[in-house]
Amino acid sequence: MTPNLESFRPKLRTGRVIPQGSRIIFETENPYNQIVLPMALADLVLLCSGQFSVREIVDKVYKKQGAVPFRSMLTAIHLLHQGGFFENGDQLALSPHLQSWMEPRRSRWHLSWRFGQRIAAAHRSPLAFYFLTLGLLLTSIFGLQFFPGNIFADAQSWSSERSWTELMLALLAASSVLQTWRYLLCGIQLLLLTSKAYNMSLRLSPWGVHLHVGDEANDLFENRLYTSMFHISQILASWSLILIASPFVSSDILQPLILTGSLISFWELNPFRSSEGRKLVRALLIPTDRDVISWHFDAGNLLHSINPEGGRKDQDFARLCAIWGVVWLSGSFFLLYQIAKQFGAGVLGQLTHDSDHTLGAWLAVGAWLATLYYSVQAMVEILFLSVVQPYWDALIGRIKRLAFRPRKEWSQAEVLKNIEGLPLFSHFHEQFLEKIVTHSQVVEYNDGQTILRQGDAARELYVLLEGDVEVIRRTSSLTEDWVSIISALSVFGEGALVDDTPRAAQILARRRVTVLCVPVHAIRQVALESQSVRQLEVFRNAIMVNQFFASSPVFRSLSVSSIEFLCSRGTLEYFDEQQTVFKQGERGDSLYLILRGSVDVEVHGMNIKRLRQGSFFGEIALIANIPRTASIIAAEPSVFFKISSDAFWEVLVEHMDLGVFIETVSETRLKEDLALAPLKRASGDS
Amino acid sequence: MMLWRKKRIAQAADERFSSVQALARQLGVQRRMNARILYPRRITGPLPSVSFSGQPIQIADISVGGCCLIDPFEILGKDVGNELTLTLHFGDTQVRVLSRLVGRVEHRRHIQFLNLPQPRLESLRLVIAEAVGGAAMKQNWPSEKNGPQISVREMWSSLIGDSLALTDEVHKTAQLTLNGRTYDLHKNAWPTRAGGERVTRAKFMAMLLFLANIPHPSAGVQILLAELEALALEESR
């Protein structure tokens, strides 16, 4: 049986670990087979002897260092696996989440020689960036005057007098020059705007041989105006060179530049991966780091734990990309058809009839066929992945929803079978459970129907048997706050158990839902009769904790045993409004889950953000073994579930993907803190 | 092709690692801010020496808020809460600091500084910030029988990225990485940067303090520290 990541026992090939400053090099017996890793991962590499599982390695590193760099560890395991450094690599199986996280980018059809890992300027010059980019945009727009009215007729007249060798070499040379110009400007713009440019390389790609600058520094953009200017200027950059070159070069040279410039701009407008157009739309629609997490995880619903709107934005973006993709692909197929019509016969003729079979001619034909193959393959792939698959998934989802028919009648046995699986009902003896169900009623609600109204008298508790419900709270200013989504099987409306205060939130059905409506008096009566449930408050607490774990997209993926373990180790803590949970700089020994209420996050005394019900905090101090990085203050009367550091780590060791997610959230939150509190930080350091 | 693959893997490895610790340090949250550092055995470098009523007292550790003194003859008295005026000697200059005895365990006296001048406090903070990284160092796992073998004698590292490798080479005894910069430590010779340039005396002192703060040092680390201290003493003479 194939082990999962946690139980995989990595065994590295025979080799040695060479320390090199803050890095290590692992080298097998073949010295060309090397991998460079951070020094912090030396223990991981040294423990990959086949004797320990990944779970045991994480445990050992945690016990020694007090923290585990999950993402780095998993990245290292992935790279070692991909590089064939594991003797038993074929035994490793990754969960889909980890797989999607570790392979966010697909390999491309190019070869590169990297000559610069990072260039850093002394300081940023946004003003210089602004004027340079503005100039670039203006010259590009003026350059567009060279765009021909009938590009195919022009191209044919230009190509008809030349052999295929000349034609292809001219086009490749022109695209190489234009791409080099574009990336040169890109590097300068990045240096001016972010003071950093990463991974400069010389690249052999279907565009020819050209300079390439990595897009890693794009993540450092902070301003939407600059972001828009940068990407638009990159789409049009070729035309600025055409304008500048036009007075100095003949039309024989200008023509291939115009042809390839048109192709480059058209390619950069594609809505798929790695195009400037897509980066622009993504930057405008998904501006915050935390949304990028869902991008990496490729699963919007995970994000609900920290940002409920994240998933919706992703959906909007996917929908826009799909429509855009159809338009762009239609254009590109038309373009391909025209190219084939104009030049295809020439290629076939070259292969079959022409007698001029020189090496250059064959190379030109090969380059043409390779480009055609790459373009068609890429288009088919992106068409399938970005357009067909989402709509196919949507269609399947729709069919499933249509096929979903709530059962008209739930038998008592069915209800019992469903609710006895809930940990909170495990306190009840079967006969008491039957009594509760006898007094209860199964009710169905349609999409959007209100189940509970805020302010209504609380007389029932609800068990969600099928479907999802949305929790919304109206504030005093009559605005609506989205609180969370609760999924089956779960319980809501439990506040009615202990007091007679009105409902604190509104519950709406999402699609069709089935709930078991349990009168509170029935539970009270059973609780009084039951030997095991004496205190209703304890019962309510159990419901709150269970509800959190059942509804949280992050924690729901944990195994039942892990949830039970966390529940058994955690404690409930109650805080009043404006009460401090912990202060920045204090030692952190626990993670907090927000069961009810909300908290304000303060860094260096500056209010950074508000976390609401269903979210969690305090994870950074645990995952990195550092003091609290922010102060947390209850924004309203709140209830938290406090999990100790040791219990938390015992679960993380078993669930590496949860560790990766929490570490990613930690990094994102720290980046937000750094972005929002720089002035305070500077004064705090002094 | 092997070469291409090697470069690609190295490049990917470089790009895809990140650190929560590093971000927290940028935010100003780190364990070292109020940490105490141990004193080297024979040389104090930029750290002060302490005297009370003209009599020198041995220091066990120091932070920006106070220090721990070894007082076997009870010069400082027994009563916790007493206020004392200590003299801190920074090289040729000295500062009189009002202090309070806040605790005592056997011969150890825990002192709180009440009016350490701000410039001194800041310079002390800088020295401590460089040295306290040593406290986060842990010795790496030894080579397993069937696992990868370490190419050096001992390897120490911390999650922050500092590292120490003790080698078996004839002249070069160790390689130390501090705050992203790598230094070579030589037998009976002044430490150099990776390029061969001699380090400054201040940097050398920072290295000494860093090494002195490594918890549970092995025999190899202790010998290295002793050799470096001897070198520093010889140089100062």
Side-chain angles (χ1 to χ4, degrees):
Chain A
M1 188 182 144
T2 312
N4 62 8
L5 176 69
E6 288 84 355
S7 54
F8 171 59
R9 291 178 182 274
K11 176 159 176 36
L12 282 171
R13 294 187 186 282
T14 311
R16 57 187 193 141
V17 176
I18 308 162
Q20 287 277 320
S22 54
R23 295 182 190 160
I24 52 163
I25 296 172
F26 174 67
E27 181 183 285
T28 62
E29 284 167 332
N30 174 358
Y32 273 118
N33 234 354
Q34 290 186 340
I35 185 166
V36 183
L37 297 168
M39 178 59 97
L41 296 177
D43 280 331
L44 166 74
V45 174
L46 290 166
L47 287 167
C48 287
S49 58
Q51 197 182 340
F52 308 106
S53 64
V54 172
R55 182 188 295 124
E56 287 166 330
I57 293 173
V58 170
D59 193 43
K60 280 176 184 290
V61 173
Y62 170 61
K63 280 176 180 158
K64 191 174 145 198
Q65 300 274 17
V68 174
F70 275 99
R71 288 189 354 150
S72 305
M73 278 183 92
L74 291 183
T75 306
I77 289 173
H78 176 62
L79 292 171
L80 289 164
H81 183 222
Q82 292 289 93
F85 290 94
F86 287 132
E87 269 182 21
N88 55 347
D90 53 331
Q91 293 175 12
L92 176 61
L94 296 171
S95 71
H97 261 168
L98 288 177
Q99 192 81 43
S100 68
W101 175 74
M102 287 172 163
E103 293 177 351
R105 293 172 192 179
R106 284 160 196 278
S107 60
R108 301 201 164 272
W109 199 86
H110 62 241
L111 290 174
S112 30
W113 174 67
R114 194 172 60 142
F115 57 83
Q117 184 189 337
R118 191 182 68 176
I119 297 178
H123 52 81
R124 297 169 57 211
S125 311
L127 203 63
F129 166 84
Y130 178 78
F131 283 112
L132 173 76
T133 310
L134 198 63
L136 182 59
L137 278 170
L138 286 174
T139 47
S140 302
I141 289 166
F142 282 122
L144 279 172
Q145 65 176 300
F146 291 98
F147 188 78
N150 189 346
I151 190 167
F152 297 110
D154 283 14
Q156 195 180 19
S157 66
W158 173 72
S159 62
S160 58
E161 297 161 7
R162 285 162 182 81
S163 71
W164 270 98
T165 317
E166 285 173 9
L167 201 70
M168 295 312 299
L169 287 177
L171 287 175
L172 280 175
S175 64
S176 301
V177 169
L178 288 178
Q179 288 286 40
T180 302
W181 168 254
R182 192 167 77 83
Y183 280 113
L184 192 67
L185 287 169
C186 170
I188 295 170
Q189 285 175 304
L190 289 175
L191 277 175
L192 289 175
L193 189 58
T194 66
S195 81
K196 292 177 184 70
Y198 292 99
N199 295 319
M200 279 59 67
S201 57
L202 195 63
R203 185 168 277 193
L204 173 64
S205 74
W207 294 113
V209 181
H210 59 90
L211 173 78
H212 183 267
V213 178
D215 60 358
E216 290 80 358
N218 291 13
D219 294 337
L220 302 171
F221 290 177
E222 290 164 0
N223 184 305
R224 284 186 181 203
L225 172 69
Y226 292 161
T227 308
S228 312
M229 286 177 71
F230 173 79
H231 290 301
I232 294 170
S233 68
Q234 281 295 304
I235 292 169
L236 300 175
S238 309
W239 296 97
S240 62
L241 184 68
I242 292 169
L243 180 73
I244 294 166
S246 60
F248 309 107
V249 296
S250 65
S251 64
D252 278 354
I253 298 176
L254 204 60
Q255 197 63 36
L257 285 175
I258 291 170
L259 279 174
T260 47
S262 308
L263 272 176
I264 289 169
S265 293
F266 181 72
W267 180 257
E268 291 302 335
L269 275 173
N270 88 68
F272 308 108
R273 293 187 305 273
S274 282
S275 78
E276 295 296 332
R278 184 183 170 91
K279 284 176 198 163
L280 171 65
V281 175
R282 181 187 158 190
L284 295 180
L285 275 182
I286 311 177
T288 60
D289 282 338
R290 60 188 173 188
D291 296 328
V292 178
I293 294 176
S294 81
W295 192 273
H296 285 303
F297 271 86
D298 201 19
N301 61 349
L302 260 180
L303 205 64
H304 282 301
S305 63
I306 54 168
N307 179 25
E309 287 85 21
R312 293 174 198 180
K313 279 183 189 167
D314 278 0
Q315 283 171 17
D316 287 347
F317 183 51
R319 203 170 294 127
L320 176 70
C321 280
I323 296 166
W324 181 7
V326 170
V327 174
W328 189 86
L329 278 170
S330 306
S332 55
F333 279 123
F334 174 73
L335 196 71
L336 270 181
Y337 168 72
Q338 289 292 340
I339 292 172
K341 198 171 141 191
Q342 304 281 348
F343 309 113
V347 174
L348 290 175
Q350 182 77 33
L351 285 172
T352 52
H353 298 106
D354 282 8
S355 55
D356 185 20
H357 287 171
T358 60
L359 180 63
W362 281 109
L363 280 175
V365 170
W368 194 89
L369 288 175
T371 309
L372 185 69
Y373 166 75
Y374 173 71
S375 309
V376 172
Q377 182 252 340
M379 282 177 194
V380 169
E381 185 190 337
I382 53 189
L383 175 72
F384 180 76
L385 286 175
S386 302
V387 182
V388 178
Q389 199 171 21
Y391 277 101
W392 175 256
D393 290 346
L395 183 70
I396 295 295
R398 195 168 181 79
I399 291 168
K400 278 183 183 170
R401 281 199 296 281
L402 286 173
F404 170 74
R405 291 274 183 278
R407 281 167 281 186
K408 283 176 185 170
E409 282 189 17
W410 282 63
S411 67
Q412 185 169 328
E414 272 180 306
V415 174
L416 271 172
K417 192 180 167 189
N418 271 277
I419 68 168
E420 71 187 5
L422 288 168
L424 60 103
F425 284 107
S426 62
H427 297 287
F428 292 100
H429 189 270
E430 199 177 333
Q431 71 180 81
F432 293 116
L433 213 53
E434 279 178 16
K435 203 168 182 175
I436 289 174
V437 175
T438 310
H439 284 87
S440 308
Q441 189 188 358
V442 176
V443 188
E444 288 174 4
Y445 292 90
N446 288 322
D447 190 7
Q449 212 175 339
T450 305
I451 303 172
L452 288 181
R453 277 181 207 287
Q454 190 171 343
D456 279 0
R459 297 195 185 90
E460 291 97 10
L461 172 146
Y462 294 85
V463 179
L464 183 60
L465 296 171
E466 274 183 331
D468 298 334
V469 295
E470 210 164 359
V471 186
I472 290 167
R473 191 156 39 192
R474 282 207 186 85
T475 60
S476 53
S477 56
L478 293 179
T479 54
E480 284 190 346
D481 270 2
W482 187 93
V483 179
S484 65
I485 289 176
I486 301 174
S487 307
L489 286 164
S490 191
V491 179
F492 58 89
E494 74 287 349
L497 276 174
V498 283
D499 48 39
D500 294 326
T501 51
R503 298 292 186 193
Q506 184 169 358
I507 309 279
L508 297 174
R510 297 181 91 203
R511 303 193 195 104
R512 283 174 152 178
V513 300
T514 309
V515 295
L516 180 71
C517 183
V518 189
V520 170
H521 67 80
I523 297 183
R524 282 190 178 147
Q525 197 179 343
V526 167
L528 288 172
E529 291 172 14
S530 165
Q531 293 298 312
S532 56
V533 182
R534 284 290 180 203
Q535 292 179 327
L536 285 176
E537 198 167 342
V538 173
F539 183 60
R540 188 183 76 152
N541 293 344
I543 291 172
M544 279 198 293
V545 176
N546 176 69
Q547 195 186 73
F548 181 93
F549 283 112
S551 310
S552 168
V554 177
F555 291 93
R556 192 164 48 186
S557 60
L558 296 180
S559 62
V560 175
S561 59
S562 297
I563 291 179
E564 282 177 358
F565 175 78
L566 283 177
C567 289
S568 66
R569 297 294 176 92
T571 53
L572 280 171
E573 295 211 339
Y574 298 84
F575 283 81
D576 290 331
E577 191 177 345
Q578 295 304 314
Q579 196 178 346
T580 302
V581 183
F582 54 72
K583 286 182 182 168
Q584 189 176 1
E586 284 181 1
R587 188 174 165 270
D589 60 355
S590 41
L591 168 80
Y592 293 83
L593 314 178
I594 307 177
L595 303 183
R596 292 287 180 275
S598 55
V599 296
D600 284 328
V601 182
E602 284 188 3
V603 176
H604 299 310
M606 187 185 281
N607 196 327
I608 297 289
K609 59 178 165 276
R610 180 166 288 189
L611 300 175
R612 297 176 191 282
Q613 180 177 320
S615 189
F616 57 91
F617 58 89
E619 77 289 349
I620 299 175
L622 301 193
I623 206 138
N625 192 24
I626 52 175
R628 297 292 189 194
T629 57
S631 300
I632 302 288
I633 296 143
E636 57 186 304
S638 306
V639 187
F640 309 125
F641 191 62
K642 184 179 171 183
I643 298 169
S644 72
S645 166
D646 289 342
F648 174 64
W649 275 95
E650 278 191 49
V651 172
L652 282 195
V653 166
E654 295 292 330
H655 299 273
M656 299 283 280
D657 47 355
L658 179 67
V660 169
F661 180 76
I662 288 184
E663 196 177 56
T664 310
V665 172
S666 303
E667 269 190 23
T668 309
R669 287 180 170 174
L670 278 169
K671 281 179 187 166
E672 276 179 3
D673 295 350
L674 278 165
L676 292 172
L679 295 174
K680 273 295 193 185
R681 189 175 79 249
S683 62
D685 283 350
S686 62
Chain B
M1 284 312 289
M2 223 29 135
L3 195 63
W4 284 108
R5 191 174 73 167
K6 172 190 154 191
K7 284 188 182 300
R8 278 214 309 277
I9 291 171
Q11 178 182 348
D14 244 15
E15 289 163 3
R16 294 177 58 182
F17 296 107
S18 57
S19 161
V20 175
Q21 279 92 349
L23 287 167
R25 280 173 78 181
Q26 283 182 43
L27 194 66
V29 176
Q30 46 186 309
R31 292 166 74 88
R32 63 177 62 177
M33 287 304 278
N34 291 310
R36 294 190 163 208
I37 57 163
L38 303 170
Y39 266 54
R41 282 172 298 177
R42 293 153 64 186
I43 190 158
T44 57
L47 292 174
S49 53
V50 174
S51 65
F52 177 65
S53 302
Q55 296 190 54
I57 307 175
Q58 189 190 343
I59 310 177
D61 59 52
I62 192 165
S63 75
V64 289
C67 62
C68 175
L69 303 175
I70 309 292
D71 181 23
F73 305 111
E74 298 189 343
I75 301 167
L76 301 173
K78 289 180 179 176
D79 297 336
V80 173
N82 272 359
E83 288 192 1
L84 328 151
T85 302
L86 295 175
T87 308
L88 270 57
H89 302 265
F90 292 91
D92 296 336
T93 57
Q94 56 185 46
V95 184
R96 290 169 66 80
V97 179
L98 185 64
S99 312
R100 182 183 289 133
L101 182 63
V102 290
R104 67 185 183 97
V105 180
E106 296 177 343
H107 297 318
R108 288 174 170 260
R109 301 288 181 270
H110 297 285
I111 304 292
Q112 181 189 5
F113 299 139
L114 297 178
N115 64 348
L116 185 65
Q118 193 65 24
R120 290 290 177 198
L121 191 141
E122 288 307 323
S123 61
L124 196 57
R125 190 195 297 279
L126 287 175
V127 173
I128 289 172
E130 282 224 298
V132 81
M137 296 282 281
K138 300 277 191 305
Q139 186 172 4
N140 285 112
W141 235 266
S143 305
E144 291 285 332
K145 190 182 171 189
N146 297 318
Q149 302 300 303
I150 306 176
S151 65
V152 290
R153 186 149 46 92
E154 272 181 36
M155 238 164 55
W156 293 70
S157 64
S158 75
L159 285 176
I160 306 165
D162 299 330
S163 70
L164 172 71
L166 301 187
T167 65
D168 286 321
E169 292 175 35
V170 180
H171 299 296
K172 188 171 134 185
T173 52
Q175 189 180 59
L176 177 67
T177 303
L178 267 178
N179 295 326
R181 289 204 159 180
T182 303
Y183 306 94
D184 291 333
L185 308 180
H186 310 279
K187 202 177 272 281
N188 300 323
W190 198 259
T192 58
R193 283 193 182 165
E197 183 191 348
R198 270 169 64 99
V199 299
T200 59
R201 184 169 176 81
K203 180 52 74 180
F204 186 30
M205 289 303 144
M207 284 180 196
L208 273 178
L209 292 177
F210 179 89
L211 292 173
N213 276 276
I214 292 179
H216 313 296
S218 63
V221 174
Q222 286 178 16
I223 291 168
L224 175 72
L225 181 61
E227 282 176 4
L228 290 176
E229 281 186 339
L231 187 69
L233 279 173
E234 194 179 317
E235 186 79 9
S236 61
R237 279 187 207 122

